Coordinates of all heavy atoms in Angstrom, one line a residue:
D270 N -1.3 18.7 5.9 CA -1.5 17.8 4.7 C -3.0 17.4 4.7 O -3.3 16.2 4.5 CB -0.6 16.6 4.8 CG -0.6 15.7 3.6 OD1 -1.0 16.3 2.5 OD2 -0.3 14.5 3.7
D271 N -3.9 18.3 4.9 CA -5.3 18.0 5.2 C -6.2 18.3 4.1 O -7.4 18.1 4.2 CB -5.7 18.8 6.4 CG -4.7 18.6 7.6 OD1 -4.2 17.5 7.8 OD2 -4.3 19.7 8.2
L272 N -5.7 18.8 2.9 CA -6.6 19.2 1.8 C -6.7 18.1 0.8 O -6.5 18.3 -0.4 CB -6.2 20.5 1.2 CG -6.1 21.7 2.2 CD1 -5.8 23.0 1.4 CD2 -7.5 21.8 2.9
R273 N -6.9 16.9 1.3 CA -7.0 15.7 0.4 C -7.7 14.6 1.2 O -7.9 14.7 2.5 CB -5.6 15.2 0.0 CG -4.8 14.6 1.2 CD -3.4 14.1 0.7 NE -2.6 13.6 1.8 CZ -2.7 12.4 2.3 NH1 -3.5 11.5 1.7 NH2 -1.9 12.0 3.3
L274 N -8.2 13.6 0.6 CA -8.8 12.4 1.3 C -7.6 11.6 1.9 O -6.7 11.3 1.3 CB -9.6 11.6 0.3 CG -10.8 12.3 -0.4 CD1 -11.5 11.3 -1.3 CD2 -11.7 12.8 0.7
K275 N -7.8 11.3 3.2 CA -6.8 10.6 3.9 C -7.3 9.3 4.5 O -8.0 9.2 5.5 CB -6.3 11.5 5.1 CG -5.7 12.8 4.7 CD -5.4 13.7 5.8 CE -4.3 13.2 6.7 NZ -3.9 14.2 7.8
P276 N -7.0 8.2 3.7 CA -7.5 6.9 4.2 C -6.7 6.5 5.5 O -5.5 6.9 5.6 CB -7.2 5.9 3.1 CG -6.1 6.6 2.3 CD -6.3 8.1 2.4
L277 N -7.3 5.7 6.4 CA -6.6 5.3 7.6 C -6.4 3.8 7.5 O -7.3 3.0 7.3 CB -7.4 5.7 8.8 CG -6.9 5.2 10.2 CD1 -5.6 6.0 10.5 CD2 -7.9 5.4 11.3
D278 N -5.1 3.4 7.7 CA -4.8 2.0 7.9 C -4.8 1.6 9.4 O -3.9 1.9 10.1 CB -3.5 1.7 7.2 CG -3.1 0.2 7.3 OD1 -3.9 -0.6 7.8 OD2 -1.9 -0.2 7.0
A279 N -5.9 1.0 9.8 CA -6.0 0.6 11.2 C -5.6 -0.8 11.5 O -6.0 -1.4 12.5 CB -7.4 0.9 11.7
S280 N -4.9 -1.4 10.6 CA -4.6 -2.9 10.8 C -3.8 -3.2 12.0 O -3.9 -4.3 12.6 CB -3.8 -3.4 9.5 OG -2.6 -2.7 9.3
E281 N -3.0 -2.2 12.5 CA -2.2 -2.4 13.7 C -2.8 -1.8 14.9 O -2.2 -1.8 16.0 CB -0.8 -1.8 13.5 CG 0.0 -2.6 12.4 CD 1.4 -2.1 12.2 OE1 1.8 -1.2 13.1 OE2 2.1 -2.6 11.3
F282 N -4.0 -1.3 14.8 CA -4.7 -0.7 16.0 C -5.1 -1.9 16.9 O -5.3 -3.0 16.5 CB -6.0 0.0 15.6 CG -5.7 1.4 15.1 CD1 -4.5 1.7 14.4 CD2 -6.6 2.4 15.2 CE1 -4.2 3.0 13.9 CE2 -6.4 3.7 14.8 CZ -5.2 4.0 14.1
M283 N -5.2 -1.6 18.2 CA -5.5 -2.6 19.2 C -7.0 -2.5 19.6 O -7.6 -1.5 19.5 CB -4.7 -2.4 20.5 CG -3.2 -2.4 20.2 SD -2.2 -1.8 21.6 CE -2.5 0.0 21.5
E284 N -7.5 -3.7 20.0 CA -8.9 -3.7 20.5 C -9.0 -3.2 21.9 O -8.2 -3.5 22.8 CB -9.4 -5.2 20.4 CG -10.8 -5.3 20.7 CD -11.3 -6.8 20.6 OE1 -11.5 -7.2 19.5 OE2 -11.4 -7.5 21.6
N285 N -10.0 -2.3 22.1 CA -10.3 -1.8 23.4 C -11.8 -2.0 23.7 O -12.6 -1.7 22.9 CB -9.9 -0.3 23.5 CG -10.2 0.3 24.9 OD1 -9.7 -0.2 25.9 ND2 -11.0 1.4 24.9
R286 N -12.1 -2.4 24.9 CA -13.5 -2.6 25.3 C -13.9 -1.6 26.4 O -13.6 -1.9 27.6 CB -13.7 -4.1 25.8 CG -13.5 -5.1 24.7 CD -13.7 -6.5 25.1 NE -13.6 -7.4 24.0 CZ -14.6 -7.8 23.2 NH1 -15.8 -7.3 23.5 NH2 -14.5 -8.6 22.2
P287 N -14.5 -0.5 26.1 CA -14.9 0.4 27.1 C -16.0 -0.1 28.0 O -16.8 -1.0 27.5 CB -15.4 1.6 26.3 CG -15.8 1.1 24.9 CD -14.8 -0.1 24.7
S288 N -16.1 0.4 29.2 CA -17.1 -0.1 30.1 C -18.4 0.7 30.2 O -19.3 0.4 30.9 CB -16.5 -0.2 31.5 OG -16.1 1.0 32.0
R289 N -18.3 1.8 29.5 CA -19.5 2.8 29.5 C -19.4 3.7 28.3 O -18.4 3.7 27.6 CB -19.5 3.6 30.8 CG -18.2 4.4 31.0 CD -18.1 4.9 32.4 NE -16.9 5.7 32.6 CZ -15.7 5.2 32.8 NH1 -15.5 3.9 32.8 NH2 -14.6 6.0 33.0
A290 N -20.4 4.5 28.1 CA -20.4 5.5 27.0 C -19.5 6.7 27.3 O -19.9 7.7 27.8 CB -21.8 5.9 26.7
T291 N -18.2 6.5 27.0 CA -17.2 7.6 27.3 C -17.4 8.7 26.3 O -18.1 8.6 25.3 CB -15.8 7.1 27.3 OG1 -15.6 6.5 26.0 CG2 -15.6 6.0 28.4
G292 N -16.6 9.8 26.5 CA -16.8 11.1 25.8 C -16.9 10.9 24.3 O -17.9 11.5 23.7
P293 N -16.0 10.2 23.6 CA -16.2 10.1 22.1 C -17.1 9.0 21.6 O -17.3 8.8 20.5 CB -14.7 9.8 21.7 CG -14.1 9.1 22.8 CD -14.7 9.7 24.1
L294 N -17.7 8.3 22.6 CA -18.5 7.1 22.2 C -19.9 7.2 22.7 O -20.6 6.2 23.0 CB -17.9 5.8 22.8 CG -16.4 5.6 22.3 CD1 -15.9 4.3 23.1 CD2 -16.3 5.3 20.8
Q295 N -20.4 8.4 22.9 CA -21.8 8.6 23.4 C -22.8 8.8 22.3 O -22.8 9.8 21.6 CB -21.8 9.9 24.3 CG -21.0 9.7 25.6 CD -21.0 10.9 26.5 OE1 -21.1 12.1 26.0 NE2 -21.0 10.7 27.8
I296 N -23.6 7.8 22.1 CA -24.6 7.8 21.0 C -26.0 7.9 21.7 O -26.5 6.9 22.3 CB -24.5 6.6 20.1 CG1 -23.1 6.4 19.6 CG2 -25.5 6.7 18.9 CD1 -22.9 5.1 18.8
A297 N -26.6 9.1 21.6 CA -27.8 9.3 22.4 C -29.1 9.2 21.5 O -29.0 9.6 20.3 CB -27.8 10.7 23.1
H298 N -30.1 8.7 22.0 CA -31.4 8.7 21.3 C -31.8 10.2 21.1 O -31.6 11.1 21.9 CB -32.5 8.1 22.2 CG -33.7 7.7 21.5 ND1 -34.7 8.7 21.1 CD2 -34.3 6.5 21.1 CE1 -35.7 8.1 20.5 NE2 -35.5 6.8 20.5
G299 N -32.3 10.5 19.9 CA -32.6 11.9 19.5 C -33.6 12.5 20.5 O -33.5 13.7 20.8
D300 N -34.6 11.8 21.0 CA -35.6 12.4 21.9 C -35.0 12.7 23.2 O -35.4 13.7 23.8 CB -36.7 11.4 22.1 CG -37.7 11.3 20.9 OD1 -37.3 11.9 19.8 OD2 -38.7 10.7 21.0
I301 N -34.0 11.9 23.7 CA -33.3 12.3 24.9 C -32.5 13.6 24.7 O -32.5 14.5 25.5 CB -32.3 11.1 25.3 CG1 -33.1 10.0 25.9 CG2 -31.2 11.6 26.3 CD1 -33.6 10.2 27.3
A302 N -31.8 13.7 23.5 CA -31.0 14.9 23.3 C -31.9 16.1 23.2 O -31.5 17.1 23.8 CB -30.2 14.7 21.9
R303 N -33.0 16.0 22.5 CA -33.8 17.2 22.4 C -34.5 17.6 23.7 O -34.6 18.8 24.0 CB -34.9 17.0 21.3 CG -34.4 17.0 19.9 CD -35.5 16.7 18.9 NE -35.9 15.3 18.9 CZ -35.3 14.4 18.1 NH1 -34.3 14.8 17.3 NH2 -35.7 13.2 18.1
A304 N -34.8 16.6 24.5 CA -35.5 16.9 25.8 C -34.5 17.3 26.9 O -34.9 18.2 27.7 CB -36.3 15.7 26.2
C305 N -33.4 16.7 26.9 CA -32.4 16.9 28.0 C -31.2 17.8 27.7 O -30.6 18.3 28.6 CB -31.9 15.6 28.5 SG -33.2 14.4 29.0
G306 N -31.0 18.0 26.4 CA -29.8 18.7 26.1 C -28.5 18.0 26.5 O -28.5 16.8 26.6

């Protein structure tokens, strides 16, 4: 059912507080990415 726009209702989602930049939450500075891969 993926050939349409699918809004997400996250009203019942729970709050989670990660302690570090885990796999899906890694936001790297562009210069770091280009230099280090």
Side-chain angles (χ1 to χ4, degrees):
D270 189 24
D271 313 315
L272 302 185
R273 66 179 181 89
L274 297 181
K275 299 174 66 173
L277 179 69
D278 180 6
S280 59
E281 296 185 3
F282 281 30
M283 300 168 289
E284 187 177 280
N285 180 53
R286 294 181 175 272
S288 60
R289 60 194 180 281
T291 56
L294 302 175
Q295 295 182 324
I296 309 173
H298 193 288
D300 285 10
I301 284 288
R303 285 181 284 271
C305 303

